[in-house]
């Protein structure tokens, strides 16, 4: 059990953030042991061949693979610096990673058990050069394994933040924190995390906490107490349907609303952007926008801003229509 001190002052500084690096590190862990992450098997089976061709899965040469052990092994904290906000940018996060002080790199590598592989030993000997190599590997990994799916992943993460914001407004901090994951609960002045192989110290009042929703961290949680502000990465809602084909709109509803609008309502099982809706339904972005305008006017859809994105959601009336037609 990990206990992170989180009094009322600390709760006031809890914030959400999205991170490309968290998805990279958690995704590599999925590839190390896909049997523990069955939901992501369709993704893992698709990206493994190109990653292997690029040498990123080579157990003897790939620095990224050597630094990310199978669960529940220790993941060096410098691999996931605290993300800045809700507009994740891989290049910006890599710049922070490359700027990690050499003494921090060495201190955290000293916590890794067992002998150091050659690539990790080279990172320890020359952190500046090693971090540059690591950043290049991460960039290649992102291009081959994540970039294609990033719009749908981002839609799930944006929807998660929107849901949690509503939960906070309706139920307060206790309702929010106690609903993050079955292994996480807030009692008194501490956030308790049922997590093995972690010795996170208490967080003094005022430091707060960064909550990082993630798709690839499923089904577990990961916590980091190093640095100025601790982090907790937890599985975002909607991960279960991330790699599934969109549901087919009921014929009866299509006969009333039109097939395009019925398909949009069916695809709005979570708040989604126009781009994501176009990808899921096969409609053009312009067509999606036109249909959404009509659905909003009919009281079937509402739209809200999340960062730079506009996300649309079904209303209770739309839910009733879908339920009745099904």
């Amino acid at each position: 059990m990990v206990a992170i001190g989180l009094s009322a002052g600390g709760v006031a500084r809890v914030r959400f953030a999205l991170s490309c690096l968290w998805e990279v590190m958690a995704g590599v862990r999925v590839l190390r042991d896909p049997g523990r992450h069955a939901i992501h098997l369709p993704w893992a089976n698709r990206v493994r061949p190109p990653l292997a061709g690029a040498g990123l899965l080579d157990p003897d040469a790939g620095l990224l693979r050597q630094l990310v052990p199978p669960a529940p092994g220790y993941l060096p904290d410098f691999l996931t610096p605290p993300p800045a906000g809700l507009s994740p940018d891989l290049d910006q996060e890599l710049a922070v990673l490359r700027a990690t002080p050499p003494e921090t790199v060495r201190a955290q590598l000293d916590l890794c058990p067992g002998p150091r592989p050659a690539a990790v030993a080279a990172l320890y000997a020359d952190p500046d050069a090693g971090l540059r190599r690591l950043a290049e590997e991460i960039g290649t990994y992102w291009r081959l394994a994540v970039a294609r799916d990033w719009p749908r992943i981002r839609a799930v993460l944006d929807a998660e933040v929107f849901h949690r914001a509503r939960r906070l407004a309706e139920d307060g901090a206790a309702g929010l924190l106690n609903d993050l994951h079955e292994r996480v609960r807030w009692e008194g002045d501490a956030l308790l995390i049922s997590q093995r192989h972690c010795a996170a110290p208490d967080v003094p009042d005022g430091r707060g906490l960064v909550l990082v929703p993630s798709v690839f961290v499923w089904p577990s949680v990961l916590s980091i107490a190093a640095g100025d502000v601790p982090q907790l990465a937890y599985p975002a809602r909607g991960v279960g349907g991330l790699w599934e084909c969109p549901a087919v709109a009921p014929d009866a509803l299509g006969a009333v609303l039109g097939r395009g609008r019925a398909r949009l309502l069916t695809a709005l099982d979570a708040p989604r952007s126009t781009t994501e809706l176009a990808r899921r339904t096969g409609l053009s972005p312009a067509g999606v926008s036109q249909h959404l305008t009509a659905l909003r006017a009919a009281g079937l859809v509402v739209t809200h801003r999340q960062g730079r994105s506009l996300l649309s959601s079904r209303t209770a009336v739309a839910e009733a229509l879908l339920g009745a037609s099904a």
Side-chain angles (χ1 to χ4, degrees), residues 29 66-67 69 72-79 102-117 120 124 197-201 223-227:
R29 179 164 278 184
Q66 292 175 359
L67 286 171
Y74 169 67
L75 185 71
D77 295 345
F78 69 82
L79 296 174
E103 59 271 19
T104 299
V105 174
R106 293 190 176 105
Q108 293 177 8
L109 291 181
D110 283 337
L111 300 177
C112 299
R116 294 191 185 100
V120 177
Y124 191 94
H197 305 285
C198 182
S223 61
I224 289 181

Side-chain angles (χ1 to χ4, degrees), residues 174-216:
L176 168 69
L177 295 173
N178 287 321
D179 188 48
L180 289 175
H181 192 272
E182 61 183 6
R183 297 186 182 180
V184 179
R185 70 181 189 273
W186 184 33
E187 291 186 359
D189 290 337
L191 190 70
L192 305 178
I193 307 168
S194 179
Q195 184 178 358
R196 296 181 302 163
H197 305 285
C198 182
D202 285 354
V203 179
D205 184 27
R207 291 176 61 191
L209 178 70
V210 180
L211 298 173
V212 186
S214 166
V215 300
F216 290 117

Side-chain angles (χ1 to χ4, degrees), residues 7-41:
S7 65
V11 170
R13 291 170 176 81
V14 171
R15 65 180 177 88
F16 284 89
L18 305 182
S19 170
C20 298
L21 284 181
W22 266 113
E23 297 302 339
V24 169
M25 303 309 160
V28 173
R29 179 164 278 184
V30 169
L31 294 170
R32 291 291 305 265
D33 189 4
R36 292 173 57 95
H37 309 269
I39 281 178
H40 296 304
L41 280 177

Side-chain angles (χ1 to χ4, degrees), residues 44-178:
N45 292 335
R46 173 164 51 83
V47 304
R48 185 178 294 278
L51 290 174
L56 293 181
L57 300 183
D58 188 338
D60 299 320
L63 178 57
L64 177 60
R65 185 184 187 280
Q66 292 175 359
L67 286 171
V68 181
Y74 169 67
L75 185 71
D77 295 345
F78 69 82
L79 296 174
T80 50
L86 298 176
S87 299
D89 185 293
L90 180 63
D91 291 337
Q92 292 180 5
E93 292 187 66
L94 288 178
V96 176
L97 175 67
R98 288 193 296 267
T100 305
E103 59 271 19
T104 299
V105 174
R106 293 190 176 105
Q108 293 177 8
L109 291 181
D110 283 337
L111 300 177
C112 299
R116 294 191 185 100
V120 177
L123 170 64
Y124 191 94
D126 188 348
D128 289 336
L131 290 175
R132 288 195 297 270
R133 173 187 171 181
L134 177 61
E136 291 176 358
E137 287 193 16
I138 291 173
T140 301
Y141 172 92
W142 183 270
R143 176 174 56 83
L144 296 176
V146 183
R148 166 182 165 179
D149 299 308
W150 181 239
R152 68 162 67 181
I153 293 172
R154 178 67 190 276
V156 170
L157 299 179
D158 284 339
E160 167 66 16
V161 173
F162 175 70
H163 169 78
R164 296 300 174 183
R166 290 193 60 177
R167 187 66 192 269
L168 177 63
E170 293 172 354
D171 301 324
L176 168 69
L177 295 173
N178 287 321

